[in-house]
Amino acid sequence: MPVHRSRLVRIRALGTAGAVLLTLLALPATSAVADGASPSVPPRGSAHMGMGVLAHDGQAGLPTSRSTQTEGVDVSSHQGNVAWSTLWNSGVRWAYAKATEGTYYTNPYHAQQYNGSYDVGMVRGAYHFATPDTTSGAAQADYFVDRGGDWSADGRTLPGVLDIEWNPYGDDCYGKSASSMVSWIRDFLDRYRARTGRDAVIYTATSWWKQCTGNYAGFASTTPLWIARYASTVGELPAGWDTYTMWQYTSTGPTVGDHDRFNGTLDGVRIFAAGS
């Protein structure tokens, strides 16, 4: 009868749809993403200091004593306009703001962050998030200096920082061998020194440095170290450095999240800024 044929068609159609659905559910999750892009990869420009620390090194407590260390913060576009007066009143006395990334991105909040920290009385500086897989170290140093990363000997401006750490957009070491990575870093540092007359600071984590530079020791004699480790102590330092200048110790501090300590008094911060 026609009714029976209609029901049979419906049953067959439902069976076909169910088979298609089961086939789709069996496909790898990445196949649903256009052009094979992973949904976990952040957009270019969004990287910030310490972005990979928790994922790679974890967190193991907080420092128990400030002793003679001076509190600081680091910020980027993901913090937006920063409440600098609040931070000053809480005891923060120095700050770094992200200026650039690669040769394709400038922080739209850099002026508020860089000048705002200065205006409340802090000693401040700028940092560059390195992407060694996109352009040369020298090109990125030029881009940084031309867009907020310069240095002046006014006692209130800290030297620029090369933020060199895990690649949030792909391979941890940006597809470079250890020797190629060392050459890239040297290229950046040499150009920054030629442009500003000042040695840049290297910000990194010991585990990344070991993995991606082969624990190279050759920069320690001239380059200040800003170590990233979310724990009660700084732990092992990269090869060559027997001390650190700054320490990023948490990403969950008050007001902005990323908090740091300068390894010395506030007078020491000012002396370091002046290049003395």
Side-chain angles (χ1 to χ4, degrees), residues 61-147:
L62 293 169
T64 56
S65 174
R66 179 174 296 181
S67 63
T68 58
Q69 297 182 331
T70 307
E71 191 76 6
V73 295
D74 59 272
V75 296
S76 66
S77 61
H78 79 281
Q79 278 103 354
N81 290 322
V82 174
W84 291 113
S85 295
T86 300
L87 287 165
W88 176 267
N89 292 336
S90 72
V92 174
R93 292 295 179 263
W94 60 275
Y96 269 92
K98 180 181 177 181
T100 51
E101 176 179 320
T103 52
Y104 51 80
Y105 175 85
T106 58
N107 175 11
Y109 294 94
H110 182 69
Q112 192 276 345
Q113 295 173 350
Y114 188 74
N115 297 326
S117 54
Y118 183 93
D119 290 344
V120 298
M122 294 184 191
V123 186
R124 52 82 158 108
Y127 78 86
H128 174 80
F129 192 94
T131 57
D133 57 337
T134 59
T135 46
S136 70
Q140 293 193 29
D142 283 333
Y143 190 83
F144 177 46
V145 171
D146 292 340
R147 292 165 178 80

Side-chain angles (χ1 to χ4, degrees), residues 123-179:
V123 186
R124 52 82 158 108
Y127 78 86
H128 174 80
F129 192 94
T131 57
D133 57 337
T134 59
T135 46
S136 70
Q140 293 193 29
D142 283 333
Y143 190 83
F144 177 46
V145 171
D146 292 340
R147 292 165 178 80
D150 203 357
W151 172 77
S152 61
D154 59 0
R156 295 279 305 280
T157 302
L158 292 157
V161 172
L162 174 63
D163 177 359
I164 185 81
E165 56 176 297
W166 296 281
N167 178 12
Y169 310 119
D171 175 73
D172 281 347
C173 300
Y174 301 85
K176 290 189 173 295
S177 67
S179 60

Side-chain angles (χ1 to χ4, degrees), residues 19-76:
V20 171
L21 178 60
L22 289 173
T23 301
L24 288 172
L25 290 174
L27 291 173
T30 53
S31 67
V33 180
D35 300 324
S38 171
S40 62
V41 175
R44 285 275 178 179
S46 63
H48 56 86
M49 194 173 271
M51 196 167 186
V53 172
L54 281 175
H56 290 85
D57 289 348
Q59 183 163 332
L62 293 169
T64 56
S65 174
R66 179 174 296 181
S67 63
T68 58
Q69 297 182 331
T70 307
E71 191 76 6
V73 295
D74 59 272
V75 296
S76 66

Side-chain angles (χ1 to χ4, degrees), residues 212-273:
C212 297
T213 74
N215 211 19
Y216 180 72
F219 297 127
S221 62
T222 57
T223 310
L225 173 66
W226 188 346
I227 191 69
R229 186 169 189 256
Y230 302 164
S232 58
T233 65
V234 297
E236 180 188 6
L237 298 179
W241 283 280
D242 56 10
T243 189
Y244 64 94
T245 301
M246 292 169 285
W247 168 25
Q248 186 190 52
Y249 67 87
T250 186
S251 61
T252 57
T255 307
V256 297
D258 296 343
H259 276 247
D260 312 88
R261 291 188 176 177
F262 181 87
N263 194 16
T265 64
L266 179 55
D267 283 343
V269 176
R270 293 172 177 143
I271 291 169
F272 179 62

